[in-house]
Amino acid sequence: MTPVTRLPLRTRQFSANAATLLWQSRARALVVAGIVGGWVLFRWRGPGTALGSIASVTFDRATVLWLALSSVLVYLLVTAGIYLWVRRRGVATTRLVLAALGMDVVLIFLATLLTTPQNHFDRALIVSFFVLYFAQLYQGVATAAVTAAGIALMYVVLLIAAASLPMPLDWTQELWTLWLFLAGVLGLLLLHGHAAARLERLVRLFERVEDGDFAEEYDVARDQRPDNLTIVGRAYNAMRAQLATIVLTDPLSGCMNRRGFEEALTREAARAARAGSPIALLSLDVDFFKRINDSFGHLAGDAVIRELGAMLRETARAGDIVGRLGGEEFAIVAPETGVDGASELAGRVLEAMRSRQFAGVDGRQQITVSIGIAADDVASDGMTESLRARADEALYAAKRAGRNRVVVWEHGMRLLTQDAERDGAGAAVEP
């Protein structure tokens, strides 16, 4: 599987902001056009001539109309500018998102100031609630909280402007309205904030799946009030188990494939480094496997690999990880195991091989393996390469010593192997 190149979190967030602002810019223009049309139809051309707004106390009807239309025009021009800028850059910062939301709130309260009677100021809160909801839905709880604070501030400014004019204003009722609005907002943010946190957990799980890491499942038990996100979490758990089998398992042997094994080795090495515990790696190779294919055919060779994989999984201890690295080469990771424990495990494997009659060759040939062992205390999670190299050197030494045996890596083994290769002694060793 080709590795997935994932952009940094900040870049992904800015790209998501840009995509959201692009479609919201078009939506903003349509919504404002609809509101202006409705205002002209129901308010301006309705019965009566007085607007009864704060602005109508100071300005005449024509001036109020001019100010309202000018505000809408400026809003649409700024919205178009944001759209073009984001479309060209392809990213949008959080500040730009907050600026767009602030522009929405300012327009709402400016329109209220120009066109709405004092006894209907709550309309501004009603319309602002939709802005707040979209802020929470697409930009998150923090952005929504900032937007809510801006709405409350603008409402108080609106009340102060009304109080400065000879207009009746019941501060108790107006502040009670604001309090009810903020209480509803708080409930919304708490409810959706909890859902957003769970959704973020799911996103992180899917990102780990993209990297081939299926170790963690969605904790359904943490959802005290199950809902649709819980259903998605359960579906992920079911999918996770199936994908792990498909992506990380070798279909012939039933063991982990190379990718799954290397990820498991890296994970166990990191765990051992944190705990300061040892880890052992066993490299196994079937002796003279080419002769099996030549004598009995490739189908028989596949059958031997299938039987060997099953036998290794049966022989390995709970917690050990068995993988097929390719061809007739296998490996076992033994966590929290030193040289003695790894040697005992390798001995059990050899004993199982000697007593087993492989059906793939009809019991007519004894199948043996050579095993190399490398075990060490893990000082850092970056020593997996060294562990693999040591196990391979020990396996090569087992091959040279006559096969069907176990060799534990020791210091200086690499020098002995290199000397043997220079002398040409390794030419007869089957890989």
Side-chain angles (χ1 to χ4, degrees), residues 134-169:
F134 277 95
Q136 189 283 324
L137 184 63
Y138 291 98
Q139 270 77 43
V141 175
T143 301
V146 173
T147 305
I151 293 171
L153 177 62
M154 291 298 295
Y155 192 74
V156 172
V157 170
L158 187 65
L159 295 180
I160 293 174
S164 65
L165 297 173
M167 300 182 68
L169 181 65

Side-chain angles (χ1 to χ4, degrees), residues 116-138:
T116 305
Q118 178 270 332
N119 58 328
H120 291 300
F121 280 175
D122 52 355
R123 293 174 183 172
L125 296 179
I126 294 174
V127 179
S128 297
F129 189 84
F130 289 98
V131 176
L132 180 68
Y133 179 79
F134 277 95
Q136 189 283 324
L137 184 63
Y138 291 98

Side-chain angles (χ1 to χ4, degrees), residues 103-115:
M103 186 177 62
D104 295 338
V105 173
V106 169
L107 179 66
I108 291 171
F109 282 91
L110 184 58
T112 303
L113 178 71
L114 294 172
T115 64

Side-chain angles (χ1 to χ4, degrees), residues 83-386:
Y83 176 86
L84 294 175
W85 192 92
V86 172
R87 186 174 181 180
R88 184 175 68 252
R89 295 294 184 91
V91 293
T93 64
T94 303
R95 290 182 180 179
L96 184 60
V97 171
L98 288 173
L101 292 170
M103 186 177 62
D104 295 338
V105 173
V106 169
L107 179 66
I108 291 171
F109 282 91
L110 184 58
T112 303
L113 178 71
L114 294 172
T115 64
T116 305
Q118 178 270 332
N119 58 328
H120 291 300
F121 280 175
D122 52 355
R123 293 174 183 172
L125 296 179
I126 294 174
V127 179
S128 297
F129 189 84
F130 289 98
V131 176
L132 180 68
Y133 179 79
F134 277 95
Q136 189 283 324
L137 184 63
Y138 291 98
Q139 270 77 43
V141 175
T143 301
V146 173
T147 305
I151 293 171
L153 177 62
M154 291 298 295
Y155 192 74
V156 172
V157 170
L158 187 65
L159 295 180
I160 293 174
S164 65
L165 297 173
M167 300 182 68
L169 181 65
D170 189 339
W171 275 95
T172 302
Q173 294 299 324
E174 296 296 345
L175 292 178
W176 174 244
T177 299
L178 178 59
W179 171 256
L180 290 177
F181 171 80
L182 292 177
V185 168
L186 179 61
L188 173 73
L189 295 183
L190 290 176
L191 178 63
H192 283 269
H194 178 63
R198 293 159 55 213
L199 184 61
E200 186 176 351
R201 281 163 47 201
L202 279 169
V203 170
R204 287 198 301 267
L205 290 175
F206 278 104
E207 289 178 346
R208 294 181 65 171
V209 167
E210 289 181 12
D211 294 332
D213 183 0
F214 301 89
E216 187 177 351
E217 66 177 5
Y218 182 80
D219 189 0
V220 177
R222 290 177 60 182
D223 293 349
Q224 298 180 358
R225 294 179 295 276
D227 54 12
N228 289 337
L229 284 180
T230 308
I231 296 175
V232 175
R234 290 171 179 163
Y236 164 81
N237 289 342
M239 178 199 70
R240 161 184 167 270
Q242 296 179 9
L243 282 179
T245 300
I246 294 172
V247 176
L248 303 180
T249 303
D250 173 51
L252 181 59
S253 66
C255 304
M256 279 192 171
N257 58 22
R258 176 179 288 274
R259 172 174 181 164
F261 183 81
E262 289 182 351
E263 290 178 358
L265 175 59
T266 301
R267 188 167 57 249
E268 292 300 330
R271 184 179 293 117
R274 291 192 299 269
S277 59
I279 188 173
L281 177 62
L282 286 69
S283 289
L284 301 87
D285 191 85
V286 180
D287 297 327
F288 300 112
F289 187 75
K290 186 176 183 300
R291 296 181 185 177
I292 298 174
N293 286 330
D294 293 342
S295 302
F296 301 95
H298 289 280
L299 291 179
D302 289 347
V304 169
I305 294 297
R306 189 180 303 111
E307 292 181 70
L308 178 57
M311 189 212 73
L312 290 176
R313 295 196 306 276
E314 294 170 1
T315 307
R317 308 163 306 176
D320 292 343
I321 301 166
V322 182
R324 181 190 178 204
L325 306 186
E328 67 277 15
E329 184 181 355
F330 289 79
I332 301 175
V333 174
E336 300 182 4
T337 303
V339 173
D340 293 340
S343 299
E344 181 180 349
L345 172 60
R348 289 203 306 270
V349 172
L350 288 185
E351 185 61 30
M353 293 291 296
R354 294 180 182 125
S355 61
R356 187 181 186 94
Q357 298 294 319
F358 284 81
V361 293
D362 298 326
R364 290 181 290 170
Q365 180 173 327
Q366 181 66 37
I367 308 297
T368 62
V369 295
S370 300
I371 304 176
I373 297 176
D376 201 352
D377 292 329
V378 181
S380 67
D381 55 4
M383 65 176 298
T384 54
E385 291 295 332
S386 174

